[in-house]
Amino acid sequence: MTDVALGAPGLAVIAPVADGRSVPDSEPDSPPRTSRAPESKATEEVVVVDYGGQYSQLIARRVRDCGVFSELIAHSAPLEEIVRRKPRGIILSGGPASVYSEHAPRLRRELLDLGVPVLGICYGMQLLAHELGGRVEEAAVGEFGRTDLRVSNPGVLLAGMPAEQTCWMSHRDTVFEAPPGFDALAGSGVSPVAAMEDAKRGIFGIQFHPEVVHTPYGQEILTRFLTDICGCERTWSPASIVDEQVARIRAQVGEGRVICGLSGGVDSSVAALLVHRAVGDQLTCVFVDHGLMRKDEGVQVISAFRDTFNVPLVAVDASERFLARLHGVTEPEAKRKAIGAEFIEVFREEAARLADGDDRAQFLVQGTLYSDVIESGAGTGAAKIKSHHNVGGLPDDLDFELVEPLRMLFKDEARAVGTELGLPDRLVWRQPFPGPGLAIRIIGGEATKERLDLLREADHILQEEIRRAGLYRELWQSFCVLPDVRTVGVQGDERTYGYVVVIRAVTSDDAMTADWARLPYDLLERVASRMMGELREVNRVVLDITSKPPGTIEWE
Ligand code: XMP
């Protein structure tokens, strides 16, 4: 067994996350839809064959960090999937199986005959060792977490790196003997063979995880493999992504008209800007202000797109409609449904209004990210499927061809592209925000204008202080929740009966799990006293210390 309980480096509190995995942004634009554009692909790539490892995505991410395009392919995918990509190298990922168990994924021997270097990581290395005549067995004790590594024979893979280094391990099965023709390069307390190579055949293996930050020489090892061994050129960069995507969008769209639902989130913003760069005014963005946004959010989006980038933008103030629809609705699911339905109605109306006779938009821009593609099973065939929050999204039956320029990008790459295109930091680094907005943060009661305004102000104070403390980017999300509850207090010698505001701040890699953020006490104090001083209706502030699971990030 490998990849068991890998100490989650990304869960450290208020610490930079190690895992570059990204998730569907909490934007109202992620559900899968009608037809698709062809997948994008850079000229040179290294394929990561996914055996189900916890960090397979992260390997691809780190390869891209080295300037080389990389995709994840399920180990069960047809060989042709890999061959047609003409990869410059192949990486075999970690995975939870034991090579000697009956149903363990096997090594496709044809991969070794493609004439390109192969690097096995963790389970990938064990597979190589097992299939090529080495000895893999379960060790008496496993190695999990930070581990000392002794390099005895650096070979090609580890040349020039220190003889003593640390690395991050997560395995119980261990390579005890390298296969014939291989040199053992390094060992650890438990692993006699923690790295090995047959440089002549171009086959390499490492037991540890170079992709996590806790392996200090990990990125160097990956770079060695990619550049010196595979001979890749480091051409994958935000600028190259922009050039490539612009060309693809032009080829797809031609003279057609394109429409984009802009939410203000980073994914739809970057996607819209790319499309605008490609086809200019053939694009029209539709921004539906449902009145459930955070303070000044609508203004920021409109000013960035319309005034700075000159993107044709229709801004619809639909707040009255949404408020009317939410009247009397208190049950969370009913709230979500009401908002979702209203959003679709407004979007349909605007799309129809924009159509000029037969000259209607045939294309719809979506900010789908690579992680959405993987999580919906299309990328790797992996079993893990995240249930998407479709509220605030568009239905499947809208008759558009999709333009998805971020379909091959991780979230941080999408952000880098946003920066490359000149998107202001405020939009590039915006924390995720749910499609149904502030309405699902008013708990146990109706989302009235009065409550929304109060919550918006409280949220604004929290954001301001968090930004001031330099913590905004380190948090996955930070926001306020307003339960429909009042408590007794005393202010200015008078009894008060006011609202409770809940502070919710979490760290997370991907929103699937989250930890409550240990915000500094003095920051919490400042936030609380500002809220109670500046917001007349608030007389109590509390902190939510629930992780996910068992809680969810949002309260509804
Ligand atoms: P939960 O509350 O399930 O949320 O832990 C996980 C992430 O999803 C966001 N979220 C939504 N995003 N529409 C969205 O676009 C929604 O209806 C929705 N509900 C929750 C949430 O903010 C968190 O980032």
Side-chain angles (χ1 to χ4, degrees):
M1 281 264 285
T2 57
D3 274 359
V4 184
L6 188 60
L11 279 187
V13 176
I14 311 277
V17 288
D19 192 332
R21 293 191 331 174
S22 47
V23 247
D25 191 19
S26 309
E27 287 189 56
D29 57 1
S30 48
R33 228 134 357 259
T34 47
S35 52
R36 296 211 171 288
E39 304 258 316
S40 64
K41 178 165 146 13
T43 42
E44 272 199 343
E45 97 166 77
V46 165
V47 161
V48 177
V49 180
D50 183 12
Y51 291 95
Q54 223 179 331
Y55 285 109
S56 303
Q57 274 199 53
L58 190 55
I59 300 173
R61 183 69 203 88
R62 293 287 170 253
V63 171
R64 293 190 192 185
D65 278 346
C66 295
V68 178
F69 181 64
S70 177
E71 274 180 283
L72 228 59
I73 308 282
H75 68 83
S76 55
L79 189 69
E80 173 52 25
E81 283 279 298
I82 296 174
V83 173
R84 80 180 162 79
R85 286 171 164 79
K86 299 195 180 72
R88 297 294 302 260
I90 292 171
I91 297 179
L92 313 176
S93 84
S98 281
V99 286
Y100 42 76
S101 76
E102 199 187 334
H103 300 295
R106 295 269 156 252
L107 175 70
R108 280 235 180 75
R109 294 295 279 264
E110 298 95 317
L111 293 178
L112 305 183
D113 300 328
L114 295 180
V116 297
V118 174
L119 170 66
I121 294 176
C122 198
Y123 181 77
M125 160 161 157
Q126 293 164 11
L127 259 185
L128 288 169
H130 181 70
E131 303 265 345
L132 299 177
R135 184 161 63 91
V136 182
E137 286 169 15
E138 186 178 309
V141 290
E143 279 178 310
F144 300 103
R146 223 179 282 273
T147 306
D148 289 329
L149 187 74
R150 281 181 315 282
V151 178
S152 48
N153 166 25
V156 176
L157 190 64
L158 305 179
M161 290 175 222
E164 308 277 331
Q165 45 180 286
T166 54
C167 65
W168 191 264
M169 295 273 205
S170 178
H171 69 116
R172 198 172 293 280
D173 285 354
T174 298
V175 178
F176 284 92
E177 275 170 38
F182 277 75
D183 296 322
L185 308 183
S188 68
V190 169
S191 305
V193 185
M196 62 180 199
E197 71 180 31
D198 180 342
K200 279 205 200 77
R201 292 175 69 192
I203 307 176
F204 303 79
I206 45 182
Q207 178 58 67
F208 50 91
H209 289 266
E211 68 275 21
V212 305
V213 288
H214 305 292
T215 299
Y217 286 89
Q219 197 68 10
E220 199 170 325
I221 294 169
L222 284 177
T223 306
R224 168 71 43 81
F225 177 70
L226 296 167
T227 54
D228 299 346
I229 296 173
C230 300
C232 294
E233 287 184 27
R234 305 174 70 166
T235 51
W236 179 253
S237 68
S240 75
I241 299 171
V242 171
D243 290 346
E244 192 194 334
Q245 286 306 324
V246 163
R248 278 179 185 280
I249 295 164
R250 283 189 186 142
Q252 185 190 359
V253 167
E255 301 291 311
R257 287 184 60 192
V258 193
I259 194 167
C260 175
L262 207 56
S263 70
V266 61
D267 304 348
S268 67
S269 300
V270 174
L273 280 188
L274 268 172
V275 174
H276 187 251
R277 167 85 55 110
V279 298
D281 291 358
Q282 286 164 249
L283 169 74
T284 306
C285 288
V286 175
F287 173 67
V288 178
D289 184 352
H290 51 20
L292 310 170
M293 307 260 171
R294 287 171 291 191
K295 190 167 177 174
D296 299 334
E297 209 151 51
V299 178
Q300 281 165 19
V301 175
I302 294 169
S303 103
F305 279 81
R306 192 184 273 164
D307 306 337
T308 311
F309 294 107
N310 295 316
V311 177
L313 173 78
V314 177
V316 192
D317 180 358
S319 47
E320 295 291 334
R321 282 177 67 162
F322 278 86
L323 272 182
R325 188 115 184 196
L326 286 170
H327 183 67
V329 183
T330 55
E331 201 274 319
E333 281 310 302
K335 239 186 235 173
R336 283 172 171 273
K337 287 206 175 91
I339 296 165
E342 191 64 32
F343 183 86
I344 291 161
E345 232 166 78
V346 177
F347 192 85
R348 269 190 209 279
E349 284 172 22
E350 289 310 315
R353 214 191 307 277
L354 285 171
D356 180 10
D358 282 344
D359 187 16
R360 57 176 285 279
Q362 304 122 266
F363 299 94
L364 177 71
V365 182
Q366 293 281 286
T368 318
L369 291 173
Y370 190 45
S371 43
D372 307 346
V373 177
I374 293 173
E375 278 162 13
S376 61
T380 64
K384 186 181 57 155
I385 296 174
K386 183 175 194 282
S387 60
H388 288 255
H389 294 282
N390 290 347
V391 176
L394 297 168
D396 286 350
D397 62 354
L398 287 184
D399 186 22
F400 292 108
E401 184 179 323
L402 293 185
V403 180
E404 296 179 301
L406 312 182
R407 210 174 144 71
M408 298 310 291
L409 303 189
F410 289 104
K411 182 125 192 156
D412 39 2
E413 290 174 312
R415 287 200 159 113
V417 169
T419 301
E420 174 76 23
L421 291 168
L423 195 67
D425 271 3
R426 218 179 167 86
L427 290 178
V428 168
W429 290 100
R430 206 182 84 139
Q431 291 175 354
F433 187 64
L438 298 179
I440 57 160
R441 293 176 180 170
I442 291 171
I443 311 301
E446 192 187 324
T448 60
K449 178 149 189 349
E450 176 230 350
R451 288 175 186 165
L452 286 165
D453 286 345
L454 177 60
L455 178 56
R456 208 177 338 260
E457 289 304 324
D459 186 74
H460 180 63
I461 292 174
L462 179 69
Q463 302 311 337
E464 223 173 48
E465 292 299 334
I466 282 182
R467 281 180 197 278
R468 207 168 275 162
L471 294 175
Y472 184 81
R473 288 192 195 177
E474 292 182 29
L475 299 171
W476 175 262
Q477 273 172 296
S478 49
F479 57 90
C480 294
V481 173
L482 186 70
D484 184 16
V485 165
R486 284 162 206 255
T487 69
V488 173
V490 53
Q491 276 168 308
D493 296 333
E494 271 185 35
R495 177 187 191 274
T496 57
Y497 190 51
Y499 277 112
V500 185
V501 170
V502 181
I503 295 174
R504 177 83 168 135
V506 295
T507 53
S508 175
D509 290 339
D510 53 17
M512 297 209 263
T513 59
D515 197 8
W516 62 280
R518 272 61 165 177
L519 295 176
Y521 280 169
D522 54 349
L523 167 67
L524 289 170
E525 186 182 11
R526 256 194 322 278
V527 169
S529 70
R530 273 195 64 189
M531 284 184 193
M532 287 178 290
E534 295 172 31
L535 308 174
R536 194 169 280 284
E537 306 88 334
V538 175
N539 68 353
R540 195 175 296 271
V541 176
V542 301
L543 178 68
D544 180 355
I545 55 165
T546 315
S547 60
K548 173 183 179 174
T552 50
I553 296 175
E554 304 288 346
W555 275 35
E556 281 193 346

